[in-house]
Amino acid sequence: MKKKIFSLFIVLVFLLTSFSNLTTSNGVAIANDPDPIVTVEQAVRDEMQINGSASYWIQFKNTVDLSPAYTMNWSDRGWFVYKTLLNQAQVTQSQVQKRLFESKVAYKSYWINNSILVTSSTKTVLNDILKLDGVESIQARKSYILYEPDTSATEMDNGVNAIEPNIAHVQAPEAWALGYDGTGLVVSSIDTGVRYTHQALVGSYRGNNGDGTFDHNYNWYNPYNPSDNVPRDGDGHGTHTMGTMVGDDGGSNQIGIAPGAEWMACAGCPDGSCWDVSLLGCGEFMAAPTDLTGANPNPDMRPNVVNNSWGDCGQTYDPWFAEVIDGWQAAGV
């Protein structure tokens, strides 16, 4: 009998202890939900340890539902995605932005993937941020490389072809014959920029007014340097890839797969360097293009297609840009 009473006592203690963790002050039972651990990338820890400060990304939880966009028309769809993502960033980032402002820490907010770039902060500020609601992870700064075109055959002189071999290989002429040449669509590039005066591209540039003048608003942006307000290409890579997309000089030499389309561009890899701030800035620009100052976003001016030719050649999946692409797709891009 004593053994049974002792066993019953242990069970009661266990139950009482458990329920003390599952009740509020008014006795209503709730689930025991410990604070989630915010992961801090090792590279940020290392930089903080060595320098006493670090630059890093604050990634917030992304919980918005963009599925209603898929049943909307083009204009409503773009505005819905833009306003929904922007509102999420404003709400979820408010506490962190307040803390950074009070600490006089420079930062930049991004709505396209609900993140903040901290230019530099001490460990004290970082530790405070880790305690705030909505913070999901702390990530290191990123940079990527361009995928250069294969130039192994450039020494061969094949002359001028009526239709370039790569265009014929994917049967673009057959698509053209059926009336599909890109007419009515806008394609875009996140690359090193584009030399908009190139003879094979100037005619299809959306900023070409057709009277010898140009309007680069909503058609060109360099997030790294907004004062760089005329489309250019300090590397050549972006002009090359845009030529493959829409290039057409009006003659018999066909170099672009969609010569009927118009184009716009954003310098995600200005002069060859693909920095995170530029790539995310372009990610937002493609969802909601802005004027040359980066203001007055207008999703109605977004492109139908985005082309990128950069990456990291890694052997493991990197989801860093995935939410940007999710936003584009929800917007119909």
Side-chain angles (χ1 to χ4, degrees), residues 10 39 166 185 233 240 270 302 304 315:
I10 295 298
T39 59
N166 61 319
L185 300 178
D233 185 358
H240 169 94
R302 69 191 184 282
N304 301 98
Q315 297 301 307

Side-chain angles (χ1 to χ4, degrees), residues 13-290:
V13 170
F14 174 77
L15 290 175
L16 288 171
T17 303
S18 298
F19 277 112
S20 69
N21 291 326
L22 296 174
T23 58
T24 62
S25 58
N26 60 8
V28 179
I30 59 173
N32 187 12
D33 185 17
D35 293 335
I37 297 176
V38 178
T39 59
V40 180
E41 199 167 343
Q42 187 60 46
V44 177
R45 296 178 183 274
D46 293 342
E47 183 181 350
M48 192 73 73
Q49 181 67 29
I50 295 172
N51 302 324
S53 63
S55 177
Y56 50 86
W57 288 98
I58 305 172
Q59 193 66 49
F60 295 82
K61 294 175 183 177
N62 193 340
T63 59
V64 295
D65 179 14
L66 297 178
S67 61
Y70 288 84
T71 61
M72 299 177 182
N73 62 46
W74 175 258
S75 180
D76 291 344
R77 186 172 186 172
W79 282 101
F80 171 79
V81 170
Y82 166 64
K83 289 181 178 180
T84 301
L85 292 177
L86 179 63
N87 181 68
Q88 174 184 237
Q90 290 173 337
V91 172
T92 59
Q93 296 180 16
S94 60
Q95 285 188 328
V96 172
Q97 290 192 33
K98 183 175 183 293
R99 179 68 180 89
L100 293 172
F101 178 78
E102 292 172 345
S103 302
K104 296 181 173 55
V105 172
Y107 68 92
K108 181 171 177 56
S109 168
Y110 292 84
W111 52 264
I112 190 69
N113 71 338
N114 204 11
S115 65
I116 289 178
L117 174 65
V118 174
T119 303
S120 179
S121 91
T122 62
K123 187 176 181 179
T124 299
V125 173
L126 176 58
N127 285 337
D128 287 345
I129 289 172
L130 296 179
K131 302 172 186 175
L132 298 177
D133 293 338
V135 177
E136 186 173 62
S137 64
I138 305 297
Q139 301 177 6
R141 298 293 304 274
K142 300 176 183 294
S143 64
Y144 294 88
I145 63 172
L146 291 170
Y147 286 100
E148 297 293 343
D150 182 1
T151 59
S152 59
T154 55
E155 295 181 2
M156 299 174 59
D157 184 5
N158 294 317
V160 176
N161 299 288
I163 298 176
E164 290 295 324
N166 61 319
I167 302 300
H169 181 70
V170 296
Q171 299 183 314
E174 286 81 351
W176 299 340
L178 295 173
Y180 301 105
D181 67 352
T183 298
L185 300 178
V186 177
V187 301
S188 59
S189 164
I190 296 180
D191 212 294
T192 61
V194 178
R195 181 163 70 85
Y196 78 103
T197 57
H198 192 290
Q199 61 268 32
L201 297 174
V202 65
S204 55
Y205 174 44
R206 191 173 68 175
N208 189 337
N209 294 324
D211 58 1
T213 64
F214 298 87
D215 184 358
H216 304 306
N217 288 289
Y218 299 95
N219 298 310
W220 163 258
Y221 187 53
N222 181 350
Y224 194 77
N225 180 15
S227 64
D228 188 11
N229 55 17
V230 175
R232 66 175 186 84
D233 185 358
D235 180 274
H237 186 278
T239 303
H240 169 94
T241 55
M242 186 59 76
T244 304
M245 286 186 270
V246 301
D248 184 0
D249 64 0
S252 60
N253 186 27
Q254 295 290 318
I255 65 171
I257 195 170
E262 293 183 302
W263 65 268
M264 58 182 286
C266 186
C269 306
D271 301 323
S273 298
C274 305
W275 297 105
D276 44 18
V277 290
S278 297
L279 297 173
L280 272 190
C282 286
E284 292 189 340
F285 181 75
M286 293 305 172
T290 66

